[in-house]
Amino acid sequence: MSLSNLSPIPELYVSPESAQKLKVEAGDLPSWDLTPRQICDLELLMNGGFNPLKGFLGQADYDSVVETMRLADGTLWPMPITLDVSEEFAAKIEPGQDIALRDQEGVILAILSVSDKWAPNKAREAEKVFGADDLAHPAVNYLHHTAGKVYLGGPVTGIQQPVHYDFRARRDTPNELRAYFRKLGWRRIVAFQTRNPLHRAHQELTFRAAREAQANLLIHPVVGMTKPGDVDHFTRVRCYEAVLDKYPQATTTMSLLNLAMRMAGPREAVWHGIIRRNHGCTHFIVGRDHAGPGKNSQGQDFYGPYDAQELFKQYAGEIGIEMVDFKQMVYVQEKAQYFPVDEVPEGSTVLDISGTELRRRLREGLDIPDWFSFPEVVTELRRTSPPRAHQGFTVFFTGLSGSGKSTIANALMVKLMEMGGRPVTLLDGDVVRKHLSSELGFSKEHRDINIRRIGYVASEITKNGGIAICAPIAPYIATRRAVREMVEAYGAFCEVHVATPIEECERRDRKGLYKLAREGKIKEFTGISDPYEAPEMPELRVDTTGIDVDNCAHQVILKLEQMGLIAGN
Ligand code: PPS
């Protein structure tokens, strides 16, 4: 029978007096501005969440962790915790030097005494740690496209915790949680890791786990970084607060964990177990597809649904925490009750709603039944994911100069304003160049900056529930794709290619620019002396030759209706 050892765990912080002094001294050191992921890692390094690590991994530990899931001294540790930096920064740093680690506002959080500097083999790291060098895996994508090329390793001296302004009362260090458990006399504690809102199945599962382990329950959601596309942590925490009331009194508590997940399935489960042991827990729930990243580029799952349980079982002794393994919970209609999928009474009707189906129902404003979730949770989710017809979106026109983009965009704006309900902003090419990009010319670099600015503004409008209509030339596919990604983080993106042929644009020559371009008086003119990469799969393509503006704008409205962005009533 495992009982928690609730004595304090080592932290990497110096005393408050020394911290004050160190902070002043560190002002002169070369400094590295931490990325959001590195801030999460640093917090857990400093507060003992990543015990026994004493800093960012050096090269010997890194190689050993990647290859064998163990530090160089043989201690189990499955995840490389490394400080990735740019080549430029690394060129200025030599082992033996100290560097100040700052948060994004420039506050010094810690000092890293650099012991190692090396360029990792990222393909090998991807293969060994995440199972495949496949960019469909979010952590592999991060490794290749976001992380710097050079790693710095060495011990960390903690000066202060990263500052959080949200949900402060729900954030606890491992030692704070240990003290809390001590105070309440909790000796057996089962932890539940989650990055999703809790529905009835989760509540049932966690409650059963606690009962089976005869333990108290810690809901321990990740609020650092989770899988791209997840429900934001602000919404989730409000949902969790609602579910907490459903547990029997004094059995359950919740604390938020500022962890940056890697979605590494089995290895991640072992890592999560170690982190929970450090937080004073004795048991850890591992369910189906723990920390699963979804499908690989071949459309197959990266890991088997119970691989994480298998690996955890193998290392449970060394992790120092007992696994409570669970099958998927499903609702049995006849019994009006949840069962693990392998204990469902024969011949009964099983009901389940997948994550994808739930998102569809939210998007379309459809019913979400009471057997699936709690009304408070559904209300909260509906507040942050209103049906598509109430969300913001962006219509992005692209096409040659004089193709008719601005004219259709203006007509569309007026039609949408006539419908009402959402504020509409027109970011026309010429207008943007006057107000946002007046210093820019028409080189590829400047056009890209211009389009990214438009994309940023459109994404903010979309995020805040408005409609952004953009009408620049936007001649490059890659830049348009980047804008799409920015916007789609918050709402729908409708690309409209105004495909009026160049001959027709030149014939109209409404601004006399084609004539000047032909005479060589305007350089880098799109379609004449500069490229235009036509979209391959826009949501809509219109050609204004022989069709009036009203008709074109109407085609866009029909498309928006089809995309569910305009309500039928
Ligand atoms: S881009 O490529 O998307 O940044 O261009 P954009 O911001 O839409 O600006 C295009 C308008 O600027 C005028 N103009 C030129 N267009 C293309 N190439 C060159 N060299 C150029 N110089 C000036 C032109 O009037 C464009 O307006 P529209 O509304 O597209 O006709």
Side-chain angles (χ1 to χ4, degrees):
M1 165 161 163
S2 47
L3 281 184
S4 192
N5 164 16
L6 293 176
S7 49
I9 196 164
E11 299 184 347
L12 306 183
Y13 293 111
V14 291
S15 67
E17 303 76 51
S18 314
Q20 218 31 49
K21 222 171 115 235
L22 264 186
K23 208 168 186 173
V24 176
E25 290 167 14
D28 293 333
L29 296 176
S31 66
W32 174 251
D33 295 338
L34 296 158
T35 63
R37 179 159 115 175
Q38 291 169 346
I39 292 179
C40 291
D41 286 351
L42 180 65
E43 179 169 348
L44 285 161
L45 278 171
M46 293 193 297
N47 70 18
F50 286 170
N51 187 59
L53 301 195
K54 299 283 176 256
F56 288 100
L57 295 187
Q59 191 171 2
D61 280 331
Y62 166 79
D63 284 334
S64 176
V65 165
V66 168
E67 293 288 340
T68 67
M69 289 196 7
R70 293 181 184 282
L71 300 171
D73 70 3
T75 310
L76 182 73
W77 186 269
M79 197 57 65
I81 305 299
T82 49
L83 188 78
D84 59 282
V85 298
S86 63
E87 287 173 300
E88 230 180 338
F89 181 77
K92 294 184 281 189
I93 305 298
E94 285 310 323
Q97 231 175 324
D98 283 354
I99 60 173
L101 302 180
R102 295 176 189 261
D103 72 8
Q104 295 191 318
E105 283 176 25
V107 177
I108 300 177
L109 302 179
I111 292 172
L112 172 71
S113 304
V114 180
S115 61
D116 297 65
K117 169 173 112 170
W118 75 104
N121 177 345
K122 291 189 175 180
R124 178 190 69 150
E125 182 178 331
E127 285 284 349
K128 297 278 179 182
V129 179
F130 304 111
D133 191 13
D134 183 334
L135 293 174
H137 192 299
V140 175
N141 189 36
Y142 185 96
L143 185 62
H144 287 299
H145 291 148
T146 307
K149 289 209 160 84
V150 182
Y151 288 174
L152 300 179
V156 158
T157 307
I159 293 180
Q160 71 164 73
Q161 295 193 42
V163 183
H164 300 288
Y165 297 105
D166 56 333
F167 305 115
R168 294 173 84 138
R170 286 287 189 194
R171 294 179 184 262
D172 305 283
T173 66
N175 281 330
E176 284 167 344
L177 264 189
R178 284 169 174 245
Y180 178 80
F181 297 150
R182 262 198 321 268
K183 187 168 171 185
L184 295 189
W186 291 11
R187 303 301 309 277
R188 291 165 64 83
I189 303 113
V190 51
F192 181 62
Q193 135 84 33
T194 183
R195 44 169 263 267
N196 286 313
L198 295 186
H199 302 295
R200 284 190 198 273
H202 305 104
Q203 202 256 341
E204 188 63 36
L205 181 152
T206 50
F207 187 58
R208 272 176 182 244
R211 212 166 35 197
E212 271 175 32
Q214 295 177 48
N216 288 94
L217 177 64
L218 170 69
I219 307 288
H220 209 195
V222 171
V223 294
M225 293 169 75
T226 61
K227 196 173 150 193
D230 280 348
V231 176
D232 69 88
H233 81 265
F234 299 100
T235 307
R236 285 190 286 116
V237 175
R238 291 193 298 269
C239 291
Y240 301 140
E241 294 283 3
V243 177
L244 265 189
D245 293 342
K246 315 288 175 194
Y247 292 94
Q249 263 196 350
T251 60
T252 304
T253 191
M254 174 174 74
S255 178
L256 307 179
L257 182 66
N258 196 37
L259 173 71
M261 289 181 71
R262 305 325 202 232
M263 309 309 299
R267 273 205 192 217
E268 180 118 358
V270 171
W271 185 40
H272 287 177
I274 295 172
I275 295 168
R276 272 43 183 236
R277 173 202 69 202
N278 290 338
H279 283 78
C281 302
T282 52
H283 295 73
F284 183 60
I285 299 174
V286 183
R288 187 181 179 279
D289 195 26
H290 188 98
K295 307 270 184 219
N296 65 19
S297 51
Q298 264 75 56
Q300 285 144 0
D301 289 331
F302 275 94
Y303 316 115
Y306 297 106
D307 286 3
Q309 292 184 354
E310 288 304 316
L311 196 74
F312 203 107
K313 214 173 283 163
Q314 223 174 303
Y315 291 99
E318 277 182 88
I319 300 171
I321 194 165
E322 254 177 65
M323 173 169 70
V324 185
D325 54 338
F326 260 98
K327 295 274 187 253
Q328 195 182 353
M329 299 293 287
V330 290
Y331 186 73
V332 173
Q333 194 173 24
E334 289 79 359
K335 303 260 178 201
Q337 204 184 323
Y338 277 88
F339 285 86
V341 73
D342 55 347
E343 292 173 26
V344 170
E346 216 170 293
S348 44
T349 320
V350 165
L351 301 180
D352 199 12
I353 293 182
S354 67
T356 315
E357 173 63 10
L358 176 65
R359 281 189 290 277
R360 186 185 76 86
R361 290 185 184 211
L362 285 169
R363 202 169 52 234
E364 297 178 17
L366 301 174
D367 178 52
I368 296 166
D370 263 10
W371 62 260
F372 177 76
S373 195
F374 305 97
E376 300 91 326
V377 172
V378 174
T379 306
E380 202 53 66
L381 291 178
R382 286 202 200 280
R383 271 178 59 199
T384 33
S385 319
R388 264 194 147 186
H390 295 281
Q391 283 178 17
F393 66 88
T394 291
V395 181
F396 192 95
F397 290 95
T398 167
L400 297 169
S401 172
S403 56
K405 303 181 300 288
S406 310
T407 325
I408 308 172
N410 268 295
L412 176 68
M413 175 173 72
V414 173
K415 283 176 188 285
L416 289 169
M417 287 170 86
E418 183 186 345
M419 288 178 191
R422 284 176 282 205
V424 189
T425 302
L426 177 57
L427 298 163
D428 191 24
D430 284 336
V431 176
V432 169
R433 281 197 173 261
K434 188 163 159 212
H435 295 291
L436 273 184
S437 296
S438 55
E439 84 285 20
L440 299 181
F442 289 89
S443 63
K444 174 164 192 318
E445 190 197 353
H446 277 194
R447 287 181 197 259
D448 281 353
I449 296 173
N450 181 40
I451 299 307
R452 281 174 190 277
R453 283 181 189 166
I454 295 176
Y456 173 71
V457 176
S459 73
E460 286 292 307
I461 292 171
T462 303
K463 179 170 89 183
N464 291 308
I467 300 174
I469 304 176
C470 315
I473 296 177
Y476 298 108
I477 290 179
T479 327
R480 291 195 303 261
R481 189 183 309 130
V483 171
R484 178 186 286 273
E485 278 168 19
M486 270 190 250
V487 170
E488 283 184 342
Y490 303 113
F493 184 79
C494 177
E495 185 177 39
V496 182
H497 178 204
V498 184
T500 312
I502 181 116
E503 300 74 29
E504 175 65 13
C505 299
E506 195 166 358
R507 194 189 60 73
R508 295 179 190 163
D509 204 6
R510 286 177 53 190
K511 300 181 189 164
L513 295 177
Y514 280 93
K515 182 165 174 290
L516 294 176
R518 287 288 181 202
E519 291 166 5
K521 290 184 184 149
I522 304 181
K523 305 270 177 275
E524 300 175 311
F525 195 82
T526 308
I528 305 289
S529 44
D530 221 45
Y532 178 78
E533 300 171 359
E536 282 160 11
M537 293 213 312
E539 273 70 15
L540 182 68
R541 208 185 298 275
V542 292
D543 176 348
T544 60
T545 325
I547 305 180
D548 66 27
V549 175
D550 194 62
N551 184 318
C552 291
H554 191 63
Q555 285 185 46
V556 181
I557 294 278
L558 290 179
K559 185 73 210 173
L560 297 175
E561 246 168 25
Q562 191 195 34
M563 291 171 76
L565 297 168
I566 299 177
N569 50 15

